[in-house]
Amino acid sequence: MILSTAFTLALGLIIVLSVFGLPMGLSMICASVLYLLMRGQDMGIVAEQFLNGMYSNYIMLAVPLFILAAEIMNSGTLSERLLRWCDAVVGRFRGGLAQVNILQSIVFAGMSGSAIADAAGSGKMMQHMMTQDGKYTPSYAAALTAVTAVIGPIIPPSIPMVLYALIADASIGYLFLAGVVPGLLMAGVMMIQVAVTARTRNFPVEKPVPLRQLPKMTWHALPVLFMPIVLMYGIYGGITTPTEAAAVAAFYALVVSIVVYRSVRLPDLYAALLTSAKTTASIGMLIAGALVFNYVVTIENIPHSLSAILLSWDLNPITFLIAVNILLLILGCVLEGTTILLVIVPVLIPTASALGIDMVHFGVVVVVNIMLGLVTPPYGLLLFIMTRISGAPMKAIVGDVLPFLGGLVLALILFTFVPETVLWLPRMFGYGGGGL
């Protein structure tokens, strides 16, 4: 595979601009413009092709809508009510608050689709609950919040899966279903680790909430707990598309916050809209840059050339998936997850398809890898967020994250080599894809 001078210069420009602090999306756009100019491409025709291709594509509309739903939930008392209910359910056991952290992430995952929203939304409250009176060290509380937030984009809905569906032309509905079992298994692994650590480190036992109060607390939290059911029933009952379900999620969160709980005022709603707009603009710029640069990569015929090279090595699906896992885990240490998903993964998809790897199975493996990158040093974004929230030193947080990371990697190995853990639920709903 011989790269042209224009592509080599474009790639070098991305690196230089990124080193000097320009956002990755803008760096890719600048590099792509340079490439197109050097190749004599008409910018107007290229732009027209993009607009025509995206005109009837509504998938990406789900991204800002899920972000808005998460921001509205964080603005009101939905997250707080969810935490109180989780505390009533599992807080009575040794290390109960740590188990609460995991349980609330499972429920919150069914609402936001974003690991960042999960950590930022409940992170402050969980950090305060776990560290008050010295119950848990700040670093352990921060580490646990970071790794539990990883579950967010695995259990549907999931913003990274929406983006993967865009580049792989896979079914969003089946991708969402495929994430349920892996997400629950990851949560189960963390719960077992917490239970073992709770005894070895003598974590405290919280004052149990009387069981007679549990029905009342469940009733008060029911509108929050009902939201994932509304979303899933809408999608898999054939009532809404995933994009429409994202709009329903935002509207549902707004109605529950304003009408039912009366916890969101006009200034809160304005702040949620503003934050959602800023986050969407940031992600949108990255998507725009990645799409333009992927156009450049396609012109260079890199995906098919790389696919031919890999296939010439006589790789089988298992060795290919091992290589992909290693590559994505390493890249996750130094690159932002969305960049990996939009720039690196499209190059791998033709080879995966040629080897007969199911695109839904591959998508879940890819998204889990990218989510683990959020908690791998030195770049792990969730580590930076929890360092800022907790005030604990990064080194201490990383030390407490590593055991959980080890358990999650073992879960990733299971998902990779036992496709039924991923594809069982989609097949129950009629999916006809294969495994390895």
Side-chain angles (χ1 to χ4, degrees), residues 176-188:
F176 280 5
L177 278 175
V180 173
V181 173
L184 294 177
L185 286 175
M186 291 168 71

Side-chain angles (χ1 to χ4, degrees), residues 24 50 57 83 121 174 180 206 322-323 329 339 344 351 390 418-419:
M24 181 59 73
F50 271 108
N57 192 327
L83 284 179
Y174 288 131
V180 173
E206 302 301 312
I322 291 173
L329 287 173
T339 303
I344 307 299
T351 305
S390 67
V418 186

Side-chain angles (χ1 to χ4, degrees), residues 50 54 60 166-167 286-296 342:
F50 271 108
M54 301 298 293
M60 284 194 295
L166 175 69
I167 61 176
L286 188 56
I287 292 173
L291 289 176
V292 177
F293 188 70
N294 285 338
Y295 178 82
V296 170
L342 294 174

Side-chain angles (χ1 to χ4, degrees), residues 157-183:
S158 166
I159 292 174
M161 287 185 183
V162 171
L163 299 179
Y164 174 82
L166 175 69
I167 61 176
D169 196 26
S171 165
I172 301 180
Y174 288 131
L175 277 167
F176 280 5
L177 278 175
V180 173
V181 173

Side-chain angles (χ1 to χ4, degrees), residues 67 70-71 74 108 112 114-122:
I67 291 172
E71 288 300 327
N74 291 337
F108 203 90
S112 70
S114 167
I116 305 302
D118 191 346
S122 61

